[in-house]
Amino acid sequence: MKKIHQTAVVEDGAIIGEDVNIEAYAYVSSKAVLGDGVTIKQGARIIGNTKIADGGRVFSYAIVGDIPQDISYHDEENTGVIIGKNATIREFCTINSGTHKGNGITRIGDNAFIMAYCHIAHDCVIGNNVILANNATLAGHVEMGDYAVVGGLTPVHQFVKIGESCMIAGASALSQDVVPFCLAEGNRAYIRSLNLVGIRRRFAKEQVEELVKAYKFLFNQGVSIKDQANELIVKTSDENVKKMCNFIINTARGIPLAKGRD
């Protein structure tokens, strides 16, 4: 059964799944699609062409799907937000719609955990099982891989790519791409080490050991990191190591290397 509070505004045309709970003073637009078991808590706003898959929870005063904070945006059609299953979007978060400069969609995968006051700007592409701690802010066109974590009070520059299973420490400032499975910290953030805690939770011991060897080869020698990646990718059969190498080879914004490393 749907449970919609009498003070909530659900516009005609909205598609509402089974067992949806929309609390007092919430707003759901005519173009919104809410999957089964979604909860929209008191005062939250679901705007425009926003789709939230089964099991999502949007907490009080979060705003999902409003127009981007982009001065070149002009009421573009066929733009919106798509959020996967079992998302948690805490209080006062803002998630903006995509633009025609991107692919039109701001996209968030399954099992996202987005803490209070976070901001996800237009055209971001966020993987599965990501965590954004309080007040993390992603500028436009940022990409985050699966299982990536951004610590609290950390801004991320537009077009930055954060690889799979990365950890960005709290109170950092990130302006370059972070290689999969690594940990970055500082202002400006640089790669400090592997994200050993994260990869040990995901992978077998042998896979972790391959990543450790790859990291030492890529980061701890006084030669070009792209040259190292090109050399390693033809030698390895490990898929995770290949992900690291391909990411380095294809980076557009550069890799934030440890202090003192060329």
Side-chain angles (χ1 to χ4, degrees), residues 51-71:
K51 298 179 181 179
I52 302 176
D54 299 352
R57 297 182 297 164
V58 181
F59 282 71
S60 294
Y61 310 110
I63 302 175
V64 181
D66 212 341
I67 64 173
Q69 299 175 104
D70 181 343
I71 59 175

Side-chain angles (χ1 to χ4, degrees), residues 29 103 121 142 159 228 241 245 261:
S29 82
N103 63 8
V142 167
F159 293 100
Q228 295 293 84
V241 174
C245 294
R261 188 202 185 283

Side-chain angles (χ1 to χ4, degrees), residues 3-259:
K3 184 178 179 181
I4 302 175
H5 193 275
Q6 62 183 359
T7 64
V9 175
V10 179
E11 292 186 339
D12 292 342
I15 299 174
I16 309 297
E18 297 298 321
D19 300 317
V20 167
N21 181 15
I22 302 175
E23 296 186 359
Y25 303 105
Y27 169 83
V28 179
S29 82
S30 62
K31 297 179 180 179
V33 178
L34 305 182
D36 296 343
V38 168
T39 296
I40 309 298
K41 298 191 73 71
Q42 177 184 345
R45 302 184 70 198
I46 311 302
I47 296 173
N49 181 22
T50 295
K51 298 179 181 179
I52 302 176
D54 299 352
R57 297 182 297 164
V58 181
F59 282 71
S60 294
Y61 310 110
I63 302 175
V64 181
D66 212 341
I67 64 173
Q69 299 175 104
D70 181 343
I71 59 175
S72 67
Y73 176 85
H74 297 291
D75 298 322
E76 297 162 8
E77 296 183 358
N78 302 317
T79 59
V81 175
I82 297 177
I83 299 175
K85 296 179 180 179
N86 302 316
T88 297
I89 300 167
R90 294 303 303 258
E91 296 83 357
F92 296 97
C93 287
T94 53
I95 302 174
N96 292 166
S97 72
T99 71
H100 288 173
K101 290 189 296 184
N103 63 8
I105 299 295
T106 300
R107 190 179 301 273
I108 301 172
D110 296 339
N111 307 313
F113 192 81
I114 303 170
M115 300 185 198
Y117 291 93
C118 287
H119 174 66
I120 298 176
H122 59 89
D123 303 296
C124 287
V125 179
I126 311 299
N128 299 318
N129 304 296
V130 301
I131 298 173
L132 272 65
N134 302 77
N135 288 281
T137 56
L138 307 185
H141 306 275
V142 167
E143 297 181 18
M144 286 181 64
D146 296 345
Y147 294 94
V149 178
V150 177
L153 296 165
T154 293
V156 181
H157 195 282
Q158 58 261 41
F159 293 100
V160 159
K161 293 180 171 63
I162 300 172
E164 177 183 340
S165 283
C166 282
M167 171 70 198
I168 313 302
S172 296
L174 185 61
S175 59
Q176 292 180 288
D177 298 340
V178 182
V179 178
F181 315 113
C182 290
L183 182 153
E185 67 175 5
N187 184 359
R188 298 294 176 129
Y190 65 95
I191 293 177
R192 180 181 178 87
S193 66
L194 280 176
N195 179 20
L196 285 171
V197 172
I199 62 177
R200 284 169 177 162
R201 288 173 177 169
R202 287 190 63 195
F203 302 124
K205 180 180 178 181
E206 294 77 12
Q207 292 172 291
V208 173
E209 289 173 349
E210 288 297 319
L211 288 171
V212 169
K213 288 190 292 185
Y215 179 86
K216 290 178 178 179
F217 182 83
L218 291 166
F219 287 89
N220 291 348
Q221 298 187 39
V223 295
S224 163
I225 190 171
K226 283 199 173 185
D227 289 346
Q228 295 293 84
N230 278 305
E231 181 178 341
L232 181 58
I233 198 169
V234 299
K235 295 179 178 179
T236 186
S237 61
D238 186 274
E239 291 302 317
N240 288 331
V241 174
K242 288 181 179 180
K243 287 179 183 179
M244 294 179 76
C245 294
N246 279 315
F247 189 98
I248 292 166
I249 292 164
N250 293 314
T251 181
R253 293 195 58 83
I255 306 299
L257 301 177
K259 294 176 180 177

